[in-house]
């Protein structure tokens, strides 16, 4: 790894987390990993078609049949392959939860579920296409690793890191092009079960994942202007959760805000609340989707409508501080 | 290098194995006072032929042998016939059989992969076995196994064929040209709630598989030689996936079960019923 001074790093153009998948697969196959990737008639959107082009023998599409895809993935894994299966987060796990439960999780198969188009930021397609409950489903499965990268760089790290073990993973990727947060690989890399500390602060801690990390950093900067020191944790690894980082944050800063593009029930906030309740209860506020379904609209307008903004995080921070 | 250590049993030995498997089935469901005897008794000849008739190449001393054939119970509730067969084949000690469904046992109510060794797939949720087989067959193709190595035999229920995922798998197996897969339908005409024709009709079931590009054979599922020969024929084909539709009776071998299949989908016999069942089983199929 080369380390260069941050000033020398050109700011890359915004990219969607999902764009990392195809190139990551190709890198893995080029490096000689015994991977096989499956798609279910959405390979142009997931990026799986990149592997189809570069290593056609390593890629299969099963057509629009997600249940079949998941059980096929399990069968392939039983022959010793590292299997990636990709679809949209509404269809996988939404359309094949029992197959994931019995054949991937209970059998502890070496299958990496890559769910693109997670959350409401899918936009115009509306409620049926917007996964707001996938993290609840996936974190409830024993042995399943659940990861929500914050940008395309972290997504690339996570997708390739998953190939290094034999465990089942669920990686949720987003559709919109977002600013790159991870500008320099030498600064910090994705690690399963480890929070990434992005801002230091002692007054409270903001914990975010996925598309909410960038606005949460902006919220921290705005709070800093008002003299509030907000620590920021990027919690891409929701399961296993970095409980130590959560407990430390509670002990050292005394208040927590969680921010995620998911129902406030069953996602990052629930996981953090469970840890706080057991080890160090402090005031906690959530920014997320308040138990309602999505709808059509431009993704930026939807984030406003559902309160998934830097302003919402800052307001929640003040609520949490007032309860300290 | 390991090869299949199992040599084919002759007909009288096969009939004997069927009796022993049936005895285990009624004894273990009696011991547990639960479990699924009906759909295990109907599949007895299928499992006897697979493991003892020289159909599946396997090695009880080396269950993970890489070039073995895979036998998959897709209708994962019929564990009694699987455990009975694996015990008879030497995969685990017969003494363990009475622990079926007890706390801490390897012999779980529904199939769990590698518990005991020889069980290839976890199940219990209907409809997943054929897809799993498609995955194995793709893996074997990538690994360059010879045409007659790594065959996959999947036992599916007739009621199970109500599940749409089967048809996704059936479509994809022929699309991918996976000749290593042989499906075996236990066509016992009953499902959980009653007769299949009343609950959800699947006929003409053979035509449906054929329309999806599979080779189809129909056979008397309680004629163990016929079942064996049909599966050997299917095994030898390398042009398309194959299905053997076994015409069976749910509860076969135990009169009061065969006469009331709907009542014996999922429950264990009483002491008196067990005694009668064992006596009838020892007499052989009539
Ligand atoms: C997905 C799913 N739905 C429902 C059940 C409950 N169930 C268990 S067995 C059964 C009927 C199966 O009928 P069939 O495949 O004909 O089995 P057999 O007659 O051989 O016992 C049902 C509905 C299940 N196990 N899985
Ligand atoms: Mg049946």
């Amino acid at each position: 790894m080369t380390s260069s001074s941050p000033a020398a790093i050109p700011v890359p153009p915004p990219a969607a987390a999902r764009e990392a998948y195809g190139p990551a697969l190709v890198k893995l196959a080029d490096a000689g990993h015994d991977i096989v990737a499956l798609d279910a008639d959405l390979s142009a959107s997931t990026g799986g078609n990149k592997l189809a082009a570069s290593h056609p023998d390593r890629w299969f599409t099963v057509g629009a049949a997600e249940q079949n895809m998941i059980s096929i993935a399990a069968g392939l894994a039983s022959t010793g392959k590292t299997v990636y299966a990709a679809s949209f987060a509404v269809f996988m796990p939404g359309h094949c939860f029992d197959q994931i439960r019995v054949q991937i999780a209970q059998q502890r198969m070496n299958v990496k579920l890559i769910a693109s188009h997670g959350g409401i930021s899918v936009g115009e397609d509306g409620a049926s296409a917007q996964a707001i409950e996938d993290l609840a489903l996936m974190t409830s499965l024993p042995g399943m690793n659940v990861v929500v990268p914050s940008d395309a760089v972290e997504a690339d790290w996570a997708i390739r890191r998953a190939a290094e073990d034999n465990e089942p993973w669920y990686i949720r990727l987003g559709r919109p092009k977002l600013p790159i947060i991870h500008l320099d690989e030498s600064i910090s890399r994705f690690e399963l079960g480890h929070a990434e500390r992005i801002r230091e602060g002692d007054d409270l801690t903001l914990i975010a994942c996925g598309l909410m990390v960038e606005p949460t950093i902006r919220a921290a900067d705005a709070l800093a202007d008002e003299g509030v020191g907000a620590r920021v944790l990027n919690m891409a690894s929701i399961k296993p959760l970095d409980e130590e980082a959560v407990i430390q944050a509670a002990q050292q800063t005394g208040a927590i805000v969680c921010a995620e593009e998911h129902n406030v029930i069953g996602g990052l906030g629930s996981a953090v609340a469970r840890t706080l309740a057991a080890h160090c209860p402090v005031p906690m506020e959530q920014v997320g989707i308040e138990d309602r379904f999505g709808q059509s609209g431009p993704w930026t307008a939807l984030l406003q409508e559902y309160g998934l903004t830097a302003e919402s995080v800052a307001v929640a921070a003040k609520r949490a501080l007032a309860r300290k | 290098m390991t090869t299949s250590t199992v040599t084919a049993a002759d007909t009288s030995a096969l009939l004997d194995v069927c009796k022993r498997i049936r005895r285990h089935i009624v004894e273990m469901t009696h011991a547990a006072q639960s479990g699924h005897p009906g759909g295990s008794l109907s599949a007895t000849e299928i499992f006897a032929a697979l493991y003892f008739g020289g159909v599946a190449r396997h090695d009880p001393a080396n269950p993970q042998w890489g070039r073995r054939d895979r036998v998959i119970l897709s209708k994962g509730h019929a564990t009694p016939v699987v455990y009975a067969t694996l015990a008879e084949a030497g995969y685990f000690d017969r003494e363990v059989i009475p622990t079926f469904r007890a706390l801490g046992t390897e012999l779980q109510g529904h199939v769990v992969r590698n518990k005991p060794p020889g069980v290839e797939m976890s199940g219990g949720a209907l409809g997943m076995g054929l897809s799993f087989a498609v995955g194995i067959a793709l893996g074997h193709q990538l690994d360059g196994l010879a045409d007659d190595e790594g065959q996959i035999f999947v036992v599916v229920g007739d009621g199970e064929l109500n599940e749409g995922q089967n048809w996704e798998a059936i479509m994809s197996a022929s699309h991918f040209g996976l000749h290593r897969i042989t499906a075996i339908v236990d066509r016992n005409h009953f499902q959980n709630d009653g007769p299949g024709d009343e609950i959800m009709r699947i006929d003409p079931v053979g035509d449906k598989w054929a329309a999806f590009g599979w080779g189809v054979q129909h056979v008397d599922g309680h004629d163990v030689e016929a079942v064996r020969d049909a599966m050997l024929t299917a095994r030898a084909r390398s042009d398309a996936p194959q299905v053997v539709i076994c015409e069976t009776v749910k509860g076969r071998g135990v009169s009061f079960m065969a006469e009331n299949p709907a009542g014996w989908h999922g429950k264990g016999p009483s002491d008196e019923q067990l005694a009668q069942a064992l006596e009838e089983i020892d007499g052989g199929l009539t």
Side-chain angles (χ1 to χ4, degrees):
Chain A
M1 221 179 296
T2 55
S3 69
S4 45
S5 81
I9 299 168
V11 176
R18 69 176 163 123
E19 292 176 60
Y21 178 53
L25 283 180
V26 174
K27 281 185 238 178
L28 286 168
D30 285 344
H33 278 270
D34 194 10
I35 62 162
V36 177
L38 304 176
D39 266 290
D41 209 22
L42 289 170
S43 68
S45 302
T46 64
N49 61 354
K50 300 224 163 30
L51 187 73
S54 70
H55 299 78
D57 57 319
R58 293 275 145 185
W59 178 86
F60 299 96
T61 181
V62 302
E66 297 75 16
Q67 302 179 353
N68 197 28
M69 174 169 73
I70 295 301
S71 300
I72 289 176
L76 267 162
S78 83
T79 70
K81 309 275 175 271
T82 297
V83 185
Y84 285 77
S87 183
F88 290 176
V90 281
F91 305 130
M92 185 194 77
H95 209 60
C96 49
F97 178 69
D98 200 22
Q99 285 73 13
I100 295 173
R101 174 178 167 271
V102 175
Q103 304 242 272
I104 309 295
Q106 291 187 358
Q107 298 192 119
R108 295 198 60 76
M109 284 300 186
N110 186 9
V111 175
K112 324 301 177 184
L113 305 169
I114 308 297
S116 76
H117 295 58
I120 57 168
S121 57
V122 167
E124 288 79 357
D125 277 349
S128 76
Q130 295 164 346
I132 60 160
E133 61 294 278
D134 55 319
L135 302 179
L137 288 167
M138 292 295 96
T139 53
S140 69
L141 292 175
M144 181 67 72
N145 298 312
V146 180
V147 173
V148 187
S150 57
D151 65 14
V153 172
E154 192 176 31
D156 173 58
W157 294 341
I159 292 162
R160 288 187 293 134
R161 164 63 182 80
E164 288 166 23
D165 62 38
N166 291 328
E167 296 176 9
W169 286 54
Y170 178 78
I171 301 179
R172 184 218 247 200
L173 307 175
R175 176 174 187 243
K177 288 189 185 296
L178 300 173
I180 300 297
I181 299 163
H182 297 89
L183 296 174
D184 183 351
E185 292 215 357
S186 66
I187 295 170
S188 153
R189 287 185 72 105
F190 168 79
E191 274 182 77
L192 186 66
H194 285 274
E196 178 191 12
R197 211 146 139 170
I198 294 185
R199 288 281 189 281
E200 300 299 334
D202 294 324
D203 294 327
L204 87 164
T205 301
L206 313 177
I207 304 178
C209 67
L211 139 171
M212 287 309 293
V213 173
E214 191 272 336
T216 297
I217 294 170
R218 280 190 278 123
D221 292 346
L223 289 165
D225 289 344
E226 299 178 31
V228 175
R231 181 179 300 179
V232 175
L233 299 181
N234 168 25
M235 199 65 87
S237 177
I238 296 180
K239 189 182 178 186
L241 186 73
D242 188 342
E243 293 208 311
E244 222 177 284
V246 172
I247 294 165
Q248 244 186 37
Q251 287 168 343
Q252 294 172 357
T253 73
I256 306 275
V257 172
C258 285
E260 62 191 311
E261 187 195 8
H262 187 270
N263 197 338
V264 289
I265 299 167
L268 172 66
S270 291
V272 168
R274 207 176 67 82
T275 302
L276 292 178
H279 299 283
C280 185
V282 296
M284 177 189 146
E285 295 286 333
Q286 276 187 270
V287 172
I289 299 165
E290 292 290 340
D291 203 22
R292 61 178 176 135
F293 284 114
Q295 57 185 302
S296 289
W299 68 273
T300 46
L302 285 165
L303 294 186
Q304 287 288 338
E305 167 67 20
Y306 286 77
L308 302 178
T309 61
E311 296 69 41
S312 305
V313 176
V315 168
K318 287 180 185 159
R319 284 201 311 268
L321 285 169
R323 289 171 55 201
K324 260 177 95 167
Chain B
M1 186 187 141
T2 318
T3 53
S4 182
T5 59
V6 180
T7 48
D10 63 19
T11 304
S12 84
L14 279 176
L15 293 174
D16 243 37
V17 166
C18 290
K19 281 187 192 174
R20 291 204 296 278
I21 291 173
R22 284 201 163 87
R23 287 187 68 100
H24 290 312
I25 291 168
V26 292
E27 281 174 343
M28 77 178 97
T29 51
H30 169 259
Q33 279 303 295
S34 68
H36 296 81
S40 292
L41 291 167
S42 58
T44 295
E45 279 72 22
I46 295 168
F47 275 84
L50 276 168
Y51 282 87
F52 297 93
V55 176
R57 297 183 191 169
H58 66 113
D59 180 3
N62 185 9
Q64 298 300 325
W65 172 41
R67 284 159 199 256
R68 72 188 181 282
D69 289 352
R70 310 285 212 281
V71 176
I72 288 165
L73 180 73
S74 187
K75 52 163 198 163
H77 56 283
T79 42
V81 71
V82 173
Y83 300 152
T85 307
L86 291 177
E88 284 298 324
Y91 279 87
F92 69 98
D93 195 334
R94 291 183 188 82
E95 308 284 299
V96 178
I97 290 179
T99 67
F100 177 51
R101 286 178 165 248
L103 185 64
T105 183
E106 283 222 302
L107 308 184
Q108 295 289 297
H110 290 77
V111 277
V112 174
R113 184 172 148 79
N114 294 333
K115 274 190 174 191
V119 175
E120 298 279 2
M121 185 195 85
S122 296
L126 296 168
M128 301 181 189
L130 284 167
S131 302
F132 191 77
V134 169
I136 296 173
L138 289 173
H140 285 176
Q141 224 168 49
L142 283 171
D143 290 338
L145 264 61
D147 263 2
D148 70 333
E149 291 179 322
Q151 302 279 316
I152 306 126
F153 298 93
V154 190
V155 178
V156 299
D158 50 0
E160 179 177 25
L161 288 176
N162 296 174
E163 293 282 355
Q165 186 184 352
N166 289 298
W167 302 98
E168 297 180 0
I170 293 165
M171 192 180 333
S172 59
S174 59
H175 176 81
F176 292 128
L178 302 176
H179 60 82
R180 280 193 183 79
I181 301 178
T182 296
I184 300 133
V185 180
D186 182 358
R187 182 80 176 103
N188 62 24
H189 296 270
F190 277 83
Q191 48 196 99
N192 190 61
D193 276 357
D197 281 351
E198 289 171 23
I199 308 296
M200 183 51 63
R201 190 172 55 250
I202 62 168
D203 276 333
V205 64
D207 293 352
K208 285 177 178 149
W209 290 81
F212 278 71
W214 287 54
V216 183
Q217 297 177 77
H218 291 269
V219 68
D220 173 353
H222 296 302
D223 178 341
V224 70
E225 293 180 288
V227 172
R228 176 198 60 200
D229 293 346
M231 292 196 292
L232 283 172
T233 302
R235 197 186 186 293
R237 292 285 293 265
S238 55
D239 53 339
Q242 303 290 313
V243 60
V244 180
I245 298 171
C246 293
E247 192 62 35
T248 59
V249 174
K250 196 160 175 170
R252 183 81 163 103
V254 178
S255 60
F256 57 89
M257 293 188 183
E259 283 154 17
N260 176 24
W264 290 96
H265 173 75
K267 84 171 182 203
S270 67
D271 294 351
E272 301 75 47
Q273 288 168 326
L274 173 66
Q276 183 188 337
L278 290 174
E279 194 175 316
E280 290 182 8
I281 288 167
D282 287 343
L285 297 186
T286 48

